[in-house]
Amino acid sequence: MNAVVMNHLSKKYSGGKAAIADMSLTLEPGEVFGFLGPNGAGKTTTVKVLNGMLQPTGGECLIFGENPSNRPEKVHAISGVMTEHAQMYNHLTGLENLIFYGAVFGIGEEESRKRAQELLWQLELSDAWEQKLSAYSTGMRQRLSIARALMHRPKILFLDEPTSGLDPESAHNVNQMIRNLAKDKGMTIFLCTHQLRYAQEICTRYGLIDEGRLLVEGTLEQLRAGMGSGMKLRIRTDRLPDSIAGYTDADKNEKNRGEASGSRERQGAYDIELAIKSEEEIPRIVSRIVQGGGNIYHVSAKRPSLEDIYFSLTAERR
Ligand SMILES: Nc1ncnc2c1ncn2[C@@H]1O[C@H](COP(=O)(O)OP(=O)(O)OP(=O)(O)O)[C@@H](O)[C@H]1O
Ligand SMILES: [Mg+2]
């Protein structure tokens, strides 16, 4: 069974434009799906609709076969949600908050306490479990709300910007935890984030949205393939044969001059970036420079990162 199905899903707020526009997307169990997009793209709205916190205005969605619009309680039983502003109680300690939430899910107090302590330990909050929530920092609250979302051991976990307020060490720790939940427990993760480097570390597949529309979806390899190879070769040399200069957009004037004068080589310091189609081109380019009398000081090839892909796709739309 699919973990998530969205079938022409739409959501229009009254008086507003469509926050989700005809979105169709399927997630398999165990995926760590990165749901990416700029501010206002519709990520939080999608999480809310998928969890029955908002009603769609068109299409439908299913979470492990359950429809959150008709049977929200069925979805709540199998889904954990961490949204931007999780409601918790300031006058209760971290531990009490989790036990309270366990009771909401019908988990007995002893079992709740056991689960809560385990989660507080995993999220490095064990020192703070007896502190009132009012004394928690933003990052501590955020980690507590992840713990809260995991209390009933959901099959699918929705995380809306789980690491945005966290220091690098805590963010790293939370990312490891997310990865392990998927790997060891087979949990499906739906992760909304702007932190593309972290996303690239843990996600198995991505969907990029803007203005409520799904622009692309796929694994990093599939997204890269969609951009051509997108591979960039950087070379630093002191002499550049014209045949190589022809590859690059950088230094256009130089290039044009070279072409105008036939095969005149240029001397000086060059730090160029070439778009190449495959790795096979690298030795050919390097040997051409060396045969032309150039010394090479640096060669590196870079495949596009998730960040590169994100910017190239969102920039196309601006
Ligand atoms: N309660 C609401 N009433 C009216 N419009 C809303 C409401 N909530 C969100 N919107 C609008 O819906 C669109 C999508 O918002 P949403 O919060 O889902 O985006 P997001 O991708 O989560 O953005 P961010 O990255 O800033 O969290 C935006 O244009 C927003 O202004
Ligand atoms: Mg949001």
Side-chain angles (χ1 to χ4, degrees):
M1 187 187 291
N2 292 312
V4 176
V5 177
M6 297 184 220
N7 192 11
H8 298 286
L9 191 68
S10 301
K11 171 69 191 175
K12 198 170 178 298
Y13 289 102
S14 54
K17 51 180 183 165
I20 311 173
D22 196 30
M23 197 178 296
S24 295
L25 180 66
T26 304
L27 264 67
E28 298 294 325
E31 282 195 74
V32 181
F33 191 81
F35 198 57
L36 316 172
N39 291 136
K43 302 179 294 297
T44 301
T45 304
T46 305
V47 168
K48 288 183 174 167
V49 170
L50 293 178
N51 284 282
M53 295 144 119
L54 287 173
Q55 288 291 324
T57 47
E60 58 164 14
C61 53
L62 297 173
I63 306 294
F64 285 98
E66 303 290 351
N67 189 331
S69 334
N70 315 333
R71 309 290 298 274
E73 72 290 350
K74 291 271 186 196
V75 173
H76 295 165
I78 52 170
S79 169
V81 190
M82 183 227 163
T83 50
E84 287 152 333
H85 305 286
Q87 275 303 311
M88 288 188 285
Y89 298 98
N90 272 322
H91 63 283
L92 299 181
T93 66
L95 185 64
E96 287 164 350
N97 264 291
L98 295 186
I99 293 173
F100 175 84
Y101 199 68
V104 171
F105 275 94
I107 306 166
E109 186 174 338
E110 203 177 320
E111 176 64 18
S112 273
R113 181 176 299 273
K114 203 175 113 230
R115 291 189 192 184
Q117 286 175 342
E118 198 179 312
L119 286 165
L120 289 167
W121 181 79
Q122 275 180 33
L123 285 154
E124 296 181 334
L125 287 169
S126 43
D127 291 345
W129 76 24
E130 297 203 311
Q131 251 176 52
K132 290 219 175 359
L133 187 65
S134 51
Y136 273 41
S137 71
T138 310
M140 287 162 72
R141 271 172 190 267
Q142 216 162 345
R143 280 177 282 153
L144 189 67
S145 68
I146 298 174
R148 189 187 86 144
L150 288 167
M151 275 297 284
H152 61 303
R153 304 205 168 136
K155 280 162 87 166
I156 179 165
L157 179 65
F158 290 86
L159 296 166
D160 199 354
E161 293 292 352
T163 51
S164 63
L166 302 186
D167 62 47
E169 201 184 326
S170 305
H172 178 74
N173 177 32
V174 165
N175 273 297
Q176 291 286 1
M177 185 177 174
I178 296 169
R179 200 199 320 240
N180 293 341
L181 286 168
K183 215 169 71 191
D184 305 337
K185 304 226 159 57
M187 199 180 284
T188 311
I189 314 275
F190 191 94
L191 172 70
C192 303
T193 187
H194 297 120
Q195 297 191 309
L196 303 175
R197 282 193 205 144
Y198 286 131
Q200 191 177 330
E201 280 174 23
I202 59 171
C203 295
T204 52
R205 210 157 64 95
Y206 307 89
L208 175 58
I209 68 161
D210 197 8
E211 295 180 350
R213 291 187 185 280
L214 186 66
L215 304 182
V216 286
E217 57 153 311
T219 61
L220 185 57
E221 287 311 312
Q222 289 167 337
L223 299 184
R224 280 171 171 158
M227 294 179 67
S229 93
M231 205 187 274
K232 293 270 170 59
L233 179 67
R234 192 178 148 206
I235 299 182
R236 199 150 57 80
T237 179
D238 54 4
R239 187 184 277 250
L240 198 64
D242 284 340
S243 58
I244 301 292
Y247 267 90
T248 176
D249 282 343
D251 221 356
K252 275 219 167 71
N253 295 334
E254 277 289 328
K255 177 183 154 197
N256 293 341
R257 245 192 287 153
E259 277 169 359
S261 62
S263 63
R264 186 164 58 92
E265 286 167 1
R266 281 86 47 76
Q267 260 182 291
Y270 294 94
D271 193 343
I272 56 166
E273 211 173 60
L274 310 175
I276 56 172
K277 290 194 184 67
S278 73
E279 276 182 352
E280 277 78 70
E281 289 184 60
I282 300 172
R284 288 207 294 272
I285 291 169
V286 168
S287 61
R288 226 184 284 172
I289 295 175
V290 173
Q291 278 162 15
N295 293 302
I296 290 182
Y297 297 96
H298 175 99
V299 183
S300 57
K302 190 170 143 255
R303 310 195 66 199
S305 64
L306 186 61
E307 206 163 27
D308 296 331
I309 294 168
Y310 177 95
F311 283 120
S312 100
L313 285 167
T314 48
E316 266 174 28
R317 295 175 54 83
R318 299 281 172 247

